Amino acid sequence: LNLKGNHLTSLPDSLATLSKLESLNLGQNAFVNLPTVIQKLVALRSLLAFQNQLRSISTATVVSLVQLTALNLNDNQLCTLPSELGCLVNLQELSVDSNQLTGLPDTIGSL
């Protein structure tokens, strides 16, 4: 599902019905936080959320997306990453350039 390049700040709860959705592109929108409905997209393999205004990534979102193989959070306002990223054992690509990170969680070595 490609929602790139809009002015979105939220997603409808009905998105949760897309239980087999594997790819979601939220790039170039106006999200400050990832919508909680994403937690219900358990088949998601690729999440692109670049060029938004994300300030943080919730632990609940990370632990629910165990199938993720690619996560792109480039060009946001992230200062930290949740330590639960280490739980994403299938993750092959993590992009976090152009944020405000001052360090990485120790669990990043588990990927």
Side-chain angles (χ1 to χ4, degrees):
L1 178 59
N2 189 348
L3 300 173
K4 176 183 164 189
N6 290 288
H7 300 282
L8 299 173
T9 58
S10 64
L11 293 175
D13 290 338
S14 60
L15 195 69
T17 61
L18 302 176
S19 60
K20 295 182 181 180
L21 186 68
E22 292 186 5
S23 180
L24 180 59
N25 187 341
L26 300 176
Q28 299 173 334
N29 278 289
F31 292 103
V32 174
N33 296 300
L34 287 175
T36 55
V37 69
I38 291 175
Q39 297 171 22
K40 296 186 169 129
L41 302 175
V42 295
L44 212 56
R45 294 185 181 276
S46 175
L47 177 58
L48 308 178
F50 58 91
Q51 293 180 2
N52 278 281
Q53 299 166 18
L54 297 175
R55 292 186 175 93
S56 65
I57 304 298
S58 82
T59 298
T61 298
V62 171
V63 298
S64 66
L65 300 177
V66 295
Q67 298 300 320
L68 271 188
T69 59
L71 178 59
N72 184 326
L73 301 170
N74 293 342
D75 297 308
N76 280 291
Q77 298 173 16
L78 298 172
C79 294
T80 62
L81 295 173
S83 61
E84 290 76 13
L85 276 177
C87 298
L88 299 178
V89 295
N90 295 311
L91 197 65
Q92 297 173 5
E93 297 176 37
L94 174 62
S95 299
V96 291
D97 64 77
S98 300
N99 278 285
Q100 299 172 10
L101 298 173
T102 56
L104 297 172
D106 290 336
T107 57
I108 204 106
S110 303
L111 296 175

